[in-house]
Amino acid sequence: MPTYSASEISSLGGDRETALIAGDGGLQFVNKLRFSITGIGAGLAWLAFGLSCLRWPDIGDWPRTEAVAYTAFAIAGGIAIATTAQAALGKFGDGVQRRAPWLFALGVFLTLWELATAKFGWLPLPFFPPPQSIVEVYTDDLPKLLDSAFASVKLQLGGYFIGAVVGFLTGVSIGWSRLAGYWVHPILRFIGPLPATAWLPIAFFTFPSAWSASTFLIALATGFPVTVLTWSGVASVSTAYYDVARTLGAKPSFLVTKVAIPAALPHVFVGLFMGLGASFAVLVVAEMIGVKAGLGFYLQWAQGWASYNNMYAALIVMSLLCSGAITLLFKVRDRLLVWQKGVVKW
Amino acid sequence: MVALATAFKPAATGASLDVKGVSHAFDIDGSVLPVLDDVSISVASGEFVALLGPSGCGKSTLLRLVAGLEPPRAGTLDEDGVAITGPYPSRVVVFQDPTLFPWRTVWDNVALGLEAQGVLKTQRHRVDAAIDLVGLGAFRKAYPHQLSGGMAQRVALARALVNDPRILVLDEPLGKLDSLTRITMQAELVSLWQRNGFTALLVTHDVEEALFLANRVIVFSDRPARVTADITVDRPYPRHRGDPHLAELRRQILRLLGLDATW
Ligand SMILES: Nc1ncnc2c1ncn2[C@@H]1O[C@H](COP(=O)(O)OP(=O)(O)O)[C@@H](O)[C@H]1O
Ligand SMILES: [Mg+2]
């Protein structure tokens, strides 16, 4: 429904038609304004969150309550404007509009959480910190948290990369060569199913540093699923493809790199996803037990001080990082496997 | 009629093929399954020979031996008098399933042979020419899952032809196509063969197709396959499906296959 009340809004450069109709460029912009129920609802939910912060006094000592409230108001306003002017804002407007129901749910959740913790204490306090105390971690303890996140990413990347490469090469060789299969398969069956964390005590003694031990364990956790799935991918390539390539003059190296590996790639990615999940678990445990850095260590340290807000803050960062890593892997997969139809969207 | 007569004369670039006393068998769970029984076929350079036989008699197996994908248990196979010991791109097979590589575009599929032989860099134009030849110029960048069955089989044909084979081995390449596409592609095959002059060895289960395309039709027995007839189809190209001479040959062949009662 067009709203004409905002006709003062400056011109965005009206086209010929608007000029003919009204001679007023602003009308074109105004014509694009649409109130969206979900957008207004989401704005109201965030408004409620902000108000809930200010309406009642905190039952504890949290310096960021007001800042959180004003941020909530800003977000509420942002949502309302972005959804109303959706058509004029292009992609950004569409994005906010599409997420409006979720933004609404989030606003409601935050309001309830605020009331249940900071205001009325329905949830037992040290274990369920209010939103503003988690925000406080991000504003006041940011350097330490960033350091920890950086350390985790570094450790994870190194171990995952080594594990993925070694696993891939091992998988290809045992899938391709009978001899490699003969020697590697029993070892794989014996060691592979063992949870990588079972190696922790030994690894921390035998490796020169906790960092190298953890890298090894992460690589191990990644390597096993990657190996097995690469192997099964290579082994299940239809012989018809090899026949075609051979009659066209392909040599064995061509059959491996241009037939077996591309054909096995969908399997390889399943292995890479499984390896990613397994390696996250090892990373956190290794950081909690041996490495004196990283988000796992931060969690452990926060627990020692019973500062649950720090733990939740670290958990949120951890979840964003893990989810980001998986998103990245999906992106890589979608690029490499464009030829597949109906790939799962993450 | 003059054009037909000249078209009948095969070009000289095809290789001759000699199959001499070839027998083959498979081991299945310890027992031996004989598949080819003393098969001898001689195909002249540039000839188009069709192989007909009951399903499962061993036709595809014979083609695999010709392609060099397997060695025969007994007998010899020669290309231009030289023994066939392994696959070589002068003998290219078009299989019943197009077997396109799903991770490669049409262009990359057709380029496969040149790439495998390490000559793609200097021969890229041949890939484009082969794709144009089968009329898929607009689909260079398409992936196999975006193609219809007939288009996929055309790509498989282009992938074979780009290597300029001296013997083109066709294993029921049109078997899975709808009848309209099949008739179109049969005509295309004839003109490709006439233009390029390769030797063609075609397995088919369609008697009419064999008679429409081939200089000679070889009929096999039930498994283990033996040659039961070698029929020369002495008609000029392009042939007409209503040709009474071909109808008579078809009756004859169906009788050999034990199917005359149904006609
Ligand atoms: N690799 C193989 N291993 C065992 N048996 C096979 C193999 N390939 C084909 N056969 C058998 O050989 C026989 C002939 O097969 P084939 O040559 O494919 O027949 P067709 O004449 O229909 O093309 C069939 O009975 C088939 O089961
Ligand atoms: Mg067959």
Side-chain angles (χ1 to χ4, degrees):
Chain A
M1 187 189 291
T3 343
Y4 293 95
S5 58
S7 54
E8 310 87 336
I9 294 174
S10 68
S11 163
L12 284 178
D15 60 17
R16 193 165 40 86
E17 279 170 57
T18 339
L20 279 175
I21 296 164
D24 174 9
L27 194 60
Q28 195 201 1
F29 179 78
V30 170
N31 270 329
K32 287 187 172 175
L33 299 184
R34 298 276 187 286
F35 285 118
S36 108
I37 306 277
T38 46
I40 297 302
L44 287 176
W46 281 81
L47 188 67
F49 172 48
L51 290 174
S52 72
C53 290
L54 299 179
R55 170 67 182 74
W56 294 277
D58 285 342
I59 58 171
D61 178 23
W62 295 296
R64 300 286 168 200
T65 308
E66 270 186 33
V68 167
Y70 293 129
T71 310
F73 293 148
I75 292 173
I79 295 171
I81 292 170
T83 50
T84 307
Q86 181 199 346
L89 289 177
K91 249 187 162 165
F92 175 75
D94 290 343
V96 176
Q97 178 59 49
R98 201 159 7 95
R99 291 175 178 83
W102 257 109
L103 289 168
F104 170 78
L106 206 59
V108 171
F109 172 74
L110 287 170
T111 310
L112 293 177
W113 181 13
E114 177 69 23
L115 296 177
T117 53
K119 305 304 178 187
F120 301 110
W122 297 327
L123 294 171
L125 204 42
F127 312 110
F128 295 95
Q132 55 263 47
S133 85
I134 292 174
V135 169
E136 191 185 326
V137 178
Y138 294 128
T139 55
D140 298 15
D141 201 23
L142 190 62
K144 192 159 176 220
L145 203 54
L146 282 183
D147 275 355
S148 303
F150 185 67
S152 287
V153 169
K154 216 171 69 176
L155 186 57
Q156 167 71 23
L157 272 185
Y160 185 73
F161 182 75
I162 295 172
V165 170
V166 172
F168 175 74
L169 295 178
T170 314
V172 170
S173 22
I174 58 183
W176 185 256
S177 145
R178 220 176 271 275
L179 184 70
Y182 176 82
W183 286 106
V184 180
H185 186 206
I187 302 175
L188 201 65
R189 282 182 66 165
F190 185 66
I191 293 178
L194 205 59
T197 40
W199 291 91
L200 263 171
I202 299 176
F204 278 121
F205 272 112
T206 48
F207 275 80
S209 65
W211 186 80
S212 55
S214 313
T215 302
F216 167 74
L217 292 178
I218 292 168
L220 200 64
T222 308
F224 176 60
V226 174
T227 304
V228 172
L229 277 136
T230 305
W231 168 32
S232 88
V234 170
S236 66
V237 177
S238 160
T239 53
Y241 290 139
Y242 296 127
D243 286 348
V244 166
R246 284 173 61 207
T247 59
L248 294 176
K251 290 168 192 59
S253 63
F254 187 91
L255 294 182
V256 175
T257 56
K258 298 295 175 82
V259 182
I261 290 177
L265 221 48
H267 282 82
V268 175
F269 270 97
V270 176
L272 287 172
F273 279 109
M274 290 169 61
L276 197 57
S279 64
F280 286 150
V282 176
L283 170 76
V284 174
V285 175
E287 285 178 341
M288 283 180 169
I289 291 183
V291 191
K292 295 273 173 283
L295 287 168
F297 173 68
Y298 188 97
L299 274 175
Q300 187 82 347
W301 165 86
Q303 196 203 23
W305 293 96
S307 48
Y308 287 85
N309 53 341
N310 290 68
M311 294 171 63
Y312 283 102
L315 271 183
I316 291 171
V317 172
M318 208 183 262
S319 147
L320 289 177
L321 285 179
C322 294
S323 176
I326 288 185
T327 306
L328 201 66
L329 192 55
F330 264 104
K331 285 243 150 60
V332 173
R333 186 199 68 164
D334 289 348
R335 260 205 93 101
L336 286 178
L337 303 187
V338 276
W339 51 271
Q340 276 194 316
K341 44 181 172 178
V343 285
V344 181
K345 287 274 173 280
W346 164 249
Chain B
M1 271 312 201
V2 180
L4 301 184
T6 52
F8 188 79
K9 181 177 62 71
T13 56
S16 66
L17 176 72
D18 269 303
V19 179
K20 279 177 288 191
V22 164
S23 297
H24 201 61
F26 291 108
D27 295 314
I28 299 175
D29 297 332
S31 67
V32 177
L33 179 79
V35 175
L36 296 174
D37 179 17
D38 193 19
V39 173
S40 293
I41 300 169
S42 180
V43 181
S45 157
E47 217 177 357
F48 198 131
V49 172
L51 309 180
L52 270 175
S55 172
C57 74
K59 304 180 295 289
S60 297
T61 306
L62 179 62
L63 293 195
R64 287 180 65 82
L65 301 183
V66 170
L69 290 168
E70 282 174 54
R73 294 249 169 131
T76 56
L77 298 106
D78 292 349
E79 176 189 3
D80 265 350
V82 181
I84 293 170
T85 52
Y88 194 77
S90 67
R91 281 168 274 119
V92 181
V93 189
V94 179
F95 295 95
Q96 177 165 14
D97 291 311
T99 352
L100 300 181
F101 290 14
W103 57 90
R104 286 175 165 245
T105 60
V106 166
W107 198 93
D108 289 331
N109 265 289
V110 174
L112 194 73
L114 300 181
E115 192 182 334
Q117 295 152 43
V119 298
L120 181 59
K121 277 217 177 69
T122 56
Q123 310 273 304
R124 301 177 68 87
H125 59 278
R126 279 170 62 186
V127 178
D128 291 310
I131 293 174
D132 289 336
L133 194 64
V134 297
L136 287 175
F139 291 89
R140 284 184 166 76
K141 294 206 172 98
Y143 282 98
H145 77 257
Q146 298 166 314
L147 304 178
S148 72
M151 288 156 76
Q153 200 53 270
R154 276 164 210 256
V155 177
L157 201 57
R159 180 176 64 185
L161 292 173
V162 75
N163 300 284
D164 229 343
R166 305 194 61 211
I167 301 179
L168 184 63
V169 179
L170 302 150
D171 192 355
E172 305 192 28
L174 313 181
K176 284 187 177 169
L177 303 183
D178 63 276
S179 54
L180 285 179
T181 315
R182 194 154 76 208
I183 287 170
T184 320
M185 287 202 53
Q186 284 169 355
E188 282 173 25
L189 262 181
V190 168
S191 62
L192 280 172
W193 167 66
Q194 290 182 316
R195 201 163 351 146
N196 295 26
F198 48 75
T199 305
L201 196 60
L202 168 82
V203 162
T204 176
H205 54 239
D206 181 347
V207 181
E208 249 181 67
E209 180 172 286
L211 291 171
F212 185 71
L213 294 174
N215 300 140
R216 267 164 68 204
V217 178
I218 291 173
V219 183
F220 286 113
S221 67
D222 271 325
R223 192 186 62 234
R226 274 173 293 101
V227 176
T228 54
D230 187 337
I231 297 158
T232 304
V233 187
D234 194 3
R235 300 304 277 178
Y237 297 88
R239 291 177 180 163
H240 302 282
R241 284 162 214 279
D243 187 334
H245 182 70
L246 294 185
E248 172 50 35
L249 282 177
R250 188 178 73 172
R251 250 190 302 280
Q252 200 180 323
I253 291 169
L254 286 172
R255 199 174 311 130
L256 283 166
L257 291 169
L259 292 168
D260 51 330
T262 58
W263 288 87

